[in-house]
Amino acid sequence: MAVSTDKTFAANTNSSWLVGNARLTDLSGQLLGAHIAHAGLIMFWAGSCTILEVTRFVPGVPMYEQGITLLPHLASLGWGVGAGGEIVDTYPYFVIGMLHLVASAVLGAGGLFHVFRTPAILRDAGGRAAKFHYEWNESKQLGLILGHHLIILGLGAFLLVLKAMFFGGIYDTNVGDVRLIDNPTLDPQIIFGYLVGMKDGVWNPLGMASVDNLEDVIGGHIWIGAILIAGGAWHIVVKPFGWIRGIFPIKHGEEILSYSLLGLALMAFISTAFVGLNTTVFPTEFYGNERLTLTNVQFFLGILAFLGFVWHGWRYRQIKT
């Protein structure tokens, strides 16, 4: 299939590489290969940087004074941490880094397989693979693909719940040690109150970032995991309603990418509040008190994603005209 790139960033230039994945817009198999390969690159970055930080780690010196970025996240999950937030064992970090590298190799191989060994369009592959072929104007098919993504995200949320409740627990800065969260908050009034900024019956401008105990954090993940899995099953089975298609009239990949980047920007802005001001999820033992650099990184990534939302939304409107 010949794919037009007339309205891409690289149109009428000699730099065809700037077209990027736009050349794969109508090639579902090739786009899947690129998608998997990108996931492999992310895994490779996470794994290699984790291993690098393990080799650089100096015991007895706070992580935030060593310019370490990834190990604090693993420490907050309870890996290799003792009383007072002291790092007593870096071997779990090494194992986690290696697992990410292995996963990156598998994903990279999967990406290459879809690029070089399978049809460019999934419909031509036959079997179960053809089930995931899509056309941009097929809302039911796009719902099926969205549903599978949501279920995977929900399972990811429950992985944190399982770690916190049954497999070693997570680090609680309020007690200065790793503990099991055996009584997570399930009260919907408390959990969903955070969405509108309600904390202990009082409005708090920090919203979700005002959470100050791990029971609420894990309870929130139970709720969001259940909602994601239920929503994923719904989208797999039920075609989007007409009024939803009226609000989000998806006709092209540029529009989906635009919406996705808007969601990413929202998550970055929420993360900015958490990183900068919340010491329950981001304990001072691992992140310190001075977090301006880390906060700025999150904020500017949010700005970049928001600009991507505007850019791809504009491109979609150019394509329509």
Side-chain angles (χ1 to χ4, degrees):
M1 176 185 294
V3 180
S4 172
T5 59
D6 291 342
K7 294 183 181 293
T8 65
F9 185 72
N12 302 318
T13 75
N14 294 322
S15 302
S16 60
W17 62 272
L18 286 173
V19 176
N21 287 339
R23 74 187 72 197
L24 309 178
T25 297
D26 297 320
L27 305 175
S28 56
Q30 295 278 293
L31 192 59
L32 174 61
H35 194 50
I36 295 172
H38 286 163
L41 287 174
I42 295 170
M43 282 286 188
F44 181 79
W45 172 84
S48 59
C49 287
T50 297
I51 298 297
L52 179 63
E53 290 185 359
V54 169
T55 62
R56 292 175 48 210
F57 179 73
V58 179
V61 179
M63 289 182 175
Y64 53 86
E65 292 184 4
Q66 301 184 49
I68 288 176
T69 302
L70 299 181
L71 297 192
H73 293 280
L74 299 179
S76 65
L77 291 174
W79 300 108
V81 183
E86 180 185 2
I87 306 303
V88 296
D89 186 7
T90 60
Y91 183 68
Y93 306 149
F94 174 77
V95 172
I96 291 170
M98 290 304 299
L99 288 174
H100 278 77
L101 290 178
V102 171
S104 75
V106 174
L107 289 166
L112 293 173
F113 175 79
H114 281 284
V115 170
F116 294 110
R117 298 297 301 273
T118 62
I121 300 176
L122 289 174
R123 179 184 57 225
D124 300 335
R128 291 186 59 83
K131 179 181 179 181
F132 291 93
H133 174 71
Y134 56 85
E135 299 291 342
W136 297 115
N137 59 352
E138 292 181 355
S139 58
K140 178 65 172 70
Q141 186 65 11
L142 294 178
L144 176 114
I145 296 172
L146 171 62
H148 283 81
H149 281 75
L150 292 176
I151 289 175
I152 292 172
L153 288 173
L155 293 174
F158 276 117
L159 283 178
L160 174 61
V161 173
L162 291 173
K163 174 66 173 72
M165 295 185 65
F166 305 107
F167 299 105
I170 55 180
Y171 184 78
D172 188 349
T173 188
N174 293 321
V175 300
D177 208 344
V178 177
R179 70 179 181 92
L180 291 173
I181 311 302
D182 52 14
N183 189 31
T185 303
L186 298 179
D187 185 340
Q189 185 174 354
I190 295 176
I191 298 301
F192 293 101
Y194 285 108
L195 295 178
V196 293
M198 296 302 296
K199 176 73 172 70
D200 298 327
V202 179
W203 185 77
N204 190 312
L206 292 179
M208 288 183 286
S210 66
V211 64
D212 59 4
N213 64 90
L214 292 179
E215 278 71 20
D216 287 2
V217 172
I218 300 306
H221 279 77
I222 292 174
W223 271 101
I224 195 63
I227 291 171
L228 285 168
I229 292 174
W234 172 271
H235 281 289
I236 289 173
V237 175
V238 180
K239 180 179 179 178
F241 297 141
W243 64 273
I244 291 291
R245 297 197 300 273
I247 298 174
F248 301 102
I250 296 173
K251 302 292 184 182
H252 194 273
E254 288 285 354
E255 193 174 12
I256 291 181
L257 179 55
S258 177
Y259 295 149
S260 299
L261 287 168
L262 179 61
L264 188 62
L266 175 62
M267 293 301 103
F269 293 141
I270 293 174
S271 178
T272 298
F274 268 96
V275 170
L277 301 168
N278 188 285
T279 58
T280 298
V281 178
F282 293 88
T284 55
E285 292 90 332
F286 311 131
Y287 295 90
N289 290 307
E290 179 52 60
R291 310 179 185 198
L292 183 60
T293 300
L294 187 57
T295 303
N296 283 340
V297 168
Q298 298 290 318
F299 179 75
F300 287 117
L301 285 175
I303 293 294
L304 182 63
F306 184 80
L307 292 175
F309 155 70
V310 175
W311 166 254
H312 287 284
W314 175 81
R315 277 180 54 172
Y316 169 67
R317 283 156 181 78
Q318 293 296 109
I319 290 172
K320 286 202 302 182
T321 58

